[in-house]
Amino acid sequence: MSDKKHERDIYVAIADPTRRKLLHLLAEADELPLYELTSKFQMGRTAISKHLAILKEAGLVTVRKVGRETRYRINAAPLQEIKDWVTFYENFWVGKVSQLKKVLLEE
């Protein structure tokens, strides 16, 4: 990981489909309280809280207390690392396909 301030690897954090859905929900909203996030899943508040803690440790979620309520917001900046990684391999494969087309046209 390029940014060592995060305790958890971003790739590990987004590997789970529940966490990806949480990020998607947070990306669509400015900020959501825990009870609203929990209502979108067929699992309990404790399980959702654990998923959110993993996202927070990876720097993908920020937390704000409003009275007794915990509110969550996405921090998409760390996802740039994944975008860069995918872009590298996308460019790699585009180059390979171009080479293959050239070879096929020569034959």
Side-chain angles (χ1 to χ4, degrees), residues 6-83:
H6 301 308
E7 295 177 21
R8 194 174 290 266
D9 188 285
I10 294 165
Y11 297 93
V12 171
I14 66 162
D16 185 275
T18 299
R19 292 192 287 271
R20 289 193 304 269
K21 183 175 178 181
L22 283 165
L23 287 173
H24 184 83
L25 291 168
L26 291 170
E28 291 180 330
D30 183 43
E31 188 177 71
L32 290 172
L34 180 58
Y35 75 88
E36 276 190 50
L37 290 166
T38 303
S39 71
K40 307 287 186 191
F41 297 88
Q42 293 185 344
M43 60 181 74
R45 181 182 181 113
T46 302
I48 296 299
S49 292
K50 287 180 182 179
H51 284 294
L52 288 164
I54 291 168
L55 293 171
K56 182 181 175 199
E57 289 171 8
L60 293 166
V61 167
T62 59
V63 179
R64 182 171 75 99
K65 286 283 194 179
V66 179
R68 297 181 72 192
E69 184 178 78
T70 304
R71 300 181 67 78
Y72 295 86
R73 181 178 294 217
I74 191 170
N75 175 28
L79 293 173
Q80 183 66 42
E81 178 181 338
I82 293 169
K83 180 183 180 291

